[in-house]
Amino acid sequence: MGLIDDARQVAEQFEYPPKEVNNGVKEFIRQMDEGLQETEKSLSQIPTYVTAVPNGTEKVALEPMRSGGVYLAVDLGGTNFRVCSIRLNGDTTFSLTQSKVAIPRELMVAKKSEDLFSFLAKQIEAFLKTHHNDHFEEHRQKKEAGQNMTNEHFLQLGFTFSFPVQQIGLNRGHLIRWTKGFDIADTIGKDVCALLQTEIDALHLPVKVAALVNDTVGTLMARSYTSPGKTGTLLGAIFGTGTNGAYVEKLDKITKLKKMAGSGDYDASTGDMIVNTEWGSFDNYMNVLPRTSYDLELDKESNNPGFHLFEKRISGMFLGEILRRVIVEMIKGGKTELFKDESSGSNDIHSTTTIAYDSPLYKQWGIDTSFLSVAHADQSAGYRITRQALARDLSVDAASSEDAEAVKILVEAIGKRSARLSAVAIGAVV
């Protein structure tokens, strides 16, 4: 059997045919209903206390806030932290100023919550000094003068926190678990809004955390504002480092809401509430999710085994790692001819194929999912672009066109399964 046949045989393990897609949709709907009735289910179906969506006519009033009609928003959703200031213009448009900073890896796995949240507060401080320094200085001077501070002197901040939380109010929510490579045990069970507010207050910033919002909820709200239509926005979905979705549900279907301890107040007049599905954990029961040995080993060696099994098959953080494990298995022990051109006579670029001893192939998370995008899109002669990426990103030098074609076959199989699984979630909600 040749290399291409070997690659196709491995790729068959990732097949997810239409029949299984349909079965997945049915099970997704069942687990959605289950999560609306009870807590601690595979699909968390978290009530957000947001009971209406915008229609594009909303404006931020200049008063009573002394900030010139500006709201702040921060987004902790993965490897980056964003700080923004927003003004709604009332005509489906808005003005936005933003900054972005990478989260240091050591803070993602810090021992104490305050290590991470103090870093976040300092980024807010830096943003205010850069973009709203007049308001910042006015607040500082009044505080030093001993003047009383009322709400009009504070910027209202929306906290987009893209991790599973048990929300018990508009600006109150306890962390259920970390995902996306974060692992700070000290934060579990704590109110993330209170943690951020404590660090903001320590820096004496004119900011109040007014709302806790999942990124999917923010996506749904933003789309509702910018593109109001006759049908309205049905779904806010994220397919990035992780994956999740939020949608508008009828209040009377969220039967667990009345049974939840410490449940906060909400406006029931609309009859609706946005629900954060936390669909990254769809089918942790493994009733219908496909499984390969690569999926099982990835989960076993992750920082949250047994959780977010849906996410681990479709999101940006994990697809590169699935591919890496497949490639390592294929080259291990000479099982296939992948990257085995040992003489220039058999290599179409007339050079020996070598894999550096410290290649990212041999390191967990060594392949970034962007590599899959490059290989999938490659239409160049002899898969030149993929071969260049193998050398540049993975230290695989002088790979043959057959090597690159085999990798492309694997990439397409992993990507197609991911796309079809994503369709399960969208199809179930819509």
Side-chain angles (χ1 to χ4, degrees):
M1 185 182 293
L3 174 57
I4 300 304
D5 288 333
D6 287 335
R8 286 174 178 153
Q9 188 175 67
V10 174
E12 286 177 359
Q13 298 180 50
F14 292 94
E15 288 186 356
Y16 191 58
K19 182 179 179 180
E20 292 188 35
V21 173
N22 289 330
N23 288 338
V25 171
K26 292 176 183 177
E27 179 65 9
F28 199 104
I29 292 172
R30 187 194 72 79
Q31 292 186 26
M32 285 176 66
D33 291 338
E34 180 184 65
L36 291 173
Q37 298 167 32
E38 301 178 56
T39 58
E40 299 183 7
K41 294 299 180 180
S42 189
L43 275 180
S44 297
Q45 295 286 77
I46 299 171
T48 65
Y49 296 83
V50 178
T51 58
V53 297
N55 60 24
T57 63
E58 294 81 4
K59 297 178 71 174
V60 178
L62 293 180
E63 296 294 343
M65 290 197 303
R66 299 286 296 279
S67 55
V70 172
Y71 279 113
L72 291 182
V74 296
D75 177 14
L76 181 64
T79 53
N80 294 310
F81 181 64
R82 293 176 175 84
V83 185
C84 314
S85 56
I86 308 101
R87 182 197 299 274
L88 303 181
N89 299 322
D91 57 358
T92 76
T93 68
F94 59 90
S95 303
L96 174 70
T97 303
Q98 66 175 319
S99 66
K100 180 176 75 172
V101 63
I103 304 292
R105 175 62 189 171
E106 61 271 19
L107 293 183
M108 296 170 66
V109 292
K111 295 293 184 182
K112 299 182 297 181
S113 301
E114 50 262 39
D115 292 340
L116 173 63
F117 285 88
S118 64
F119 172 82
L120 304 183
K122 288 173 183 175
Q123 306 314 308
I124 296 171
E125 179 183 43
F127 181 86
L128 291 177
K129 287 182 176 179
T130 301
H131 300 288
H132 300 281
N133 193 55
D134 289 347
H135 185 73
F136 179 84
E137 285 299 322
E138 179 186 3
H139 179 85
R140 184 184 62 80
Q141 292 169 8
K142 287 183 176 181
K143 191 171 185 65
E144 289 178 352
Q147 296 185 26
N148 291 328
M149 297 292 163
T150 59
N151 280 338
E152 70 178 31
H153 296 100
F154 288 84
L155 288 160
Q156 304 298 298
L157 179 142
F159 185 13
T160 300
F161 185 78
S162 307
F163 302 90
V165 297
Q166 187 62 56
Q167 195 156 353
I168 56 174
L170 191 58
N171 66 345
R172 296 164 58 207
H174 300 133
L175 179 65
I176 298 172
R177 60 183 172 272
W178 288 108
T179 58
K180 308 173 191 175
F182 283 76
D183 188 15
I184 308 171
D186 177 58
T187 315
I188 304 299
K190 292 183 178 179
D191 184 346
V192 294
C193 289
L195 289 172
L196 181 58
Q197 188 67 64
T198 295
E199 300 304 327
I200 288 172
D201 293 343
L203 295 174
H204 307 295
L205 304 181
V207 174
K208 292 295 182 184
V209 180
L212 175 64
V213 183
N214 184 270
D215 56 350
T216 57
V217 179
T219 300
L220 191 159
M221 298 286 280
R223 185 63 177 176
S224 296
Y225 177 80
T226 59
S227 299
K230 293 182 180 179
T231 60
T233 302
L234 300 176
L235 169 68
I238 299 293
F239 296 97
T241 303
T243 184
N244 191 18
Y247 70 102
V248 181
E249 183 59 272
K250 292 297 180 183
L251 257 175
D252 58 10
K253 291 190 67 176
I254 315 173
T255 56
K256 69 179 180 183
L257 190 57
K258 296 179 180 178
K259 300 179 286 185
M260 291 171 55
S263 179
D265 296 330
Y266 55 89
D267 178 9
S269 64
T270 65
D272 296 324
M273 182 177 287
I274 296 178
V275 170
N276 166 21
T277 67
E278 287 298 333
W279 74 33
S281 280
F282 164 60
D283 201 28
N284 283 342
Y285 314 124
M286 290 301 297
N287 290 341
V288 296
L289 281 183
R291 72 183 82 192
T292 68
S293 60
Y294 312 107
D295 298 312
L296 297 177
E297 289 301 311
L298 183 153
D299 176 53
K300 181 180 177 181
E301 296 178 23
S302 69
N303 62 13
N304 57 347
F307 290 97
H308 277 229
L309 300 183
F310 186 65
E311 182 171 89
K312 289 172 182 173
R313 284 157 173 76
I314 72 174
S315 72
M317 181 171 181
F318 300 101
L319 296 184
E321 179 63 10
I322 293 173
L323 176 64
R324 186 192 72 82
R325 289 172 180 274
V326 172
I327 291 175
V328 169
E329 181 68 19
M330 290 183 68
I331 65 179
K332 189 170 62 178
K335 291 182 179 180
T336 70
E337 293 302 308
L338 183 62
F339 305 142
K340 290 294 193 302
D341 284 324
E342 296 178 351
S343 70
S344 59
S346 63
N347 190 310
D348 59 358
I349 61 173
H350 310 298
S351 182
T352 302
T353 303
T354 59
I355 305 175
Y357 75 93
D358 59 349
S359 166
L361 278 174
Y362 302 128
K363 302 171 184 176
Q364 189 180 26
W365 316 114
I367 297 183
D368 189 86
T369 297
S370 61
F371 175 86
L372 280 74
S373 299
V374 171
H376 187 274
D378 187 6
Q379 300 295 325
S380 61
Y383 304 105
R384 171 181 54 83
I385 294 173
T386 298
R387 284 149 57 183
Q388 290 174 343
L390 285 166
R392 180 186 66 247
D393 301 335
L394 305 180
S395 300
V396 179
D397 292 324
S400 68
S401 59
E402 190 177 36
D403 290 329
E405 183 180 357
V407 169
K408 185 177 175 69
I409 289 170
L410 300 173
V411 164
E412 289 177 343
I414 294 168
K416 186 175 183 179
R417 187 185 73 163
S418 169
R420 289 191 169 185
L421 283 167
S422 301
V424 166
I426 295 172
V429 172
V430 174

